[in-house]
Amino acid sequence: MSTKNIVSLSGGKDSTALWLYALGKGVEVVPVFADTGNEHQKTYEYLEYLEKQLGPIHRIKADFTKQIEHKREVVQTKWRNEGVEEWIIEQALNVLHPTGNPFLDLCIWKGRFPSTKARFCTVELKVRPFFDQVYLLLLEQGHKVISWQGVRAEESIARSKLSEREDTPEGYEIYRPLLKWTANEVFAMHSRYGIEPNPLYKLGMGRVGCMPCINCGKLELFEIARRFPEEVERIAAWEETVKQASKRNGASFFADENGASIYEKVEWSKTTFGGKQYDLLKAIEMEDVPMCSSQYGLCE
Ligand code: SF4
């Protein structure tokens, strides 16, 4: 039985440092990237850069074709029996087709976006594909599987409670060697190997992952809106599609009780504390986008 070391690669600084750490230790690892379909183009380009510098990356992605097919049946039977209006049924059937984009297809299937209270995206787009498409196959072939994860204790209270090694009920082991590392140590690891961090860090992003993430804060949304307005437009188009797949004919990316659209949230991100008045400084910053505004002091 051989050991397979799998590095969960996101295109962010921590998982890149993790890959470099493993290489430095002489451990043979397989870096795997779970594509959510909601990544910034710069992250895809960065992965290509990493492949050229360090070696191949195995890419996986979730597929919700079967779930969407099943939802069509539910709409045609259960929704009709429940008395849902015919125009809502028709518009749902119009959009209930897989697009091939995992994030969008997940939301079409669910008829809503994930939220901080219902964060099904991580499980459906990352945890499950990793298990079904990587760990399970290796376990069935009789390998010992170690999942290398680049989480750090200082990122959150929940992460500070994690242990460096953990055995999972599913039969694979989790290894978190960067648990005690600081962000500076992570960037120092990049420098040691002459590897550039993902350029998004120099463009005001505190973290690299979905663009945007449903947990994205006010300041980060402001940065995204002024630097990458095309991403806001993409999400607005997604809101329209997911709305049509929803029984209540409504869906907002930042699912809150007011049902505010991404455009409304962007307007809110330009306001001062309290959300009522426009922040004059932000109004100027919206027009005057600096080349570099890293939250980690990476600007040169
Ligand atoms: S990065 Fe955010 S939006 Fe993307 S899967 Fe994770 S929690 Fe969900």
Side-chain angles (χ1 to χ4, degrees), residues 50 164 181 207 235:
L50 285 182
E164 192 176 271
W181 286 34
R207 44 171 295 291
I235 296 293

PDB file of all heavy atoms in Angstrom, residues 50 164 181 207 235:
ATOM      1  N   LEU A  50       2.000  28.532 -12.171  1.00  0.00           N
ATOM      2  CA  LEU A  50       2.527  27.557 -11.200  1.00  0.00           C
ATOM      3  C   LEU A  50       2.895  26.243 -11.891  1.00  0.00           C
ATOM      4  O   LEU A  50       3.901  25.618 -11.556  1.00  0.00           O
ATOM      5  CB  LEU A  50       1.500  27.282 -10.101  1.00  0.00           C
ATOM      6  CG  LEU A  50       1.304  28.360  -9.032  1.00  0.00           C
ATOM      7  CD1 LEU A  50       0.273  27.899  -8.001  1.00  0.00           C
ATOM      8  CD2 LEU A  50       2.610  28.715  -8.336  1.00  0.00           C
ATOM      9  N   GLU A 164      -2.919  19.561  13.942  1.00  0.00           N
ATOM     10  CA  GLU A 164      -2.068  19.426  12.757  1.00  0.00           C
ATOM     11  C   GLU A 164      -2.392  18.156  11.983  1.00  0.00           C
ATOM     12  O   GLU A 164      -2.365  18.148  10.758  1.00  0.00           O
ATOM     13  CB  GLU A 164      -0.588  19.435  13.178  1.00  0.00           C
ATOM     14  CG  GLU A 164       0.330  19.581  12.001  1.00  0.00           C
ATOM     15  CD  GLU A 164       1.785  19.696  12.407  1.00  0.00           C
ATOM     16  OE1 GLU A 164       2.233  20.831  12.645  1.00  0.00           O
ATOM     17  OE2 GLU A 164       2.462  18.652  12.488  1.00  0.00           O
ATOM     18  N   TRP A 181       1.788  28.959  11.068  1.00  0.00           N
ATOM     19  CA  TRP A 181       2.492  29.951  10.245  1.00  0.00           C
ATOM     20  C   TRP A 181       1.756  31.293  10.230  1.00  0.00           C
ATOM     21  O   TRP A 181       0.530  31.345  10.347  1.00  0.00           O
ATOM     22  CB  TRP A 181       2.603  29.464   8.802  1.00  0.00           C
ATOM     23  CG  TRP A 181       3.610  28.371   8.575  1.00  0.00           C
ATOM     24  CD1 TRP A 181       3.943  27.355   9.435  1.00  0.00           C
ATOM     25  CD2 TRP A 181       4.395  28.153   7.402  1.00  0.00           C
ATOM     26  NE1 TRP A 181       4.861  26.525   8.863  1.00  0.00           N
ATOM     27  CE2 TRP A 181       5.163  26.989   7.613  1.00  0.00           C
ATOM     28  CE3 TRP A 181       4.515  28.817   6.187  1.00  0.00           C
ATOM     29  CZ2 TRP A 181       6.053  26.484   6.647  1.00  0.00           C
ATOM     30  CZ3 TRP A 181       5.389  28.322   5.231  1.00  0.00           C
ATOM     31  CH2 TRP A 181       6.158  27.175   5.469  1.00  0.00           C
ATOM     32  N   ARG A 207      -8.051  37.736   0.320  1.00  0.00           N
ATOM     33  CA  ARG A 207      -8.012  36.296   0.164  1.00  0.00           C
ATOM     34  C   ARG A 207      -8.313  35.970  -1.302  1.00  0.00           C
ATOM     35  O   ARG A 207      -8.907  36.781  -2.009  1.00  0.00           O
ATOM     36  CB  ARG A 207      -9.035  35.615   1.077  1.00  0.00           C
ATOM     37  CG  ARG A 207     -10.394  36.308   1.070  1.00  0.00           C
ATOM     38  CD  ARG A 207     -11.430  35.517   1.777  1.00  0.00           C
ATOM     39  NE  ARG A 207     -11.702  34.261   1.080  1.00  0.00           N
ATOM     40  CZ  ARG A 207     -12.307  34.176  -0.093  1.00  0.00           C
ATOM     41  NH1 ARG A 207     -12.709  35.262  -0.724  1.00  0.00           N
ATOM     42  NH2 ARG A 207     -12.511  33.012  -0.659  1.00  0.00           N
ATOM     43  N   ILE A 235     -22.072  38.321 -11.987  1.00  0.00           N
ATOM     44  CA  ILE A 235     -22.915  37.869 -10.868  1.00  0.00           C
ATOM     45  C   ILE A 235     -24.348  38.392 -11.053  1.00  0.00           C
ATOM     46  O   ILE A 235     -25.314  37.683 -10.752  1.00  0.00           O
ATOM     47  CB  ILE A 235     -22.331  38.343  -9.513  1.00  0.00           C
ATOM     48  CG1 ILE A 235     -20.955  37.693  -9.266  1.00  0.00           C
ATOM     49  CG2 ILE A 235     -23.298  38.041  -8.366  1.00  0.00           C
ATOM     50  CD1 ILE A 235     -20.967  36.206  -9.046  1.00  0.00           C
TER      51      ILE A 235
END
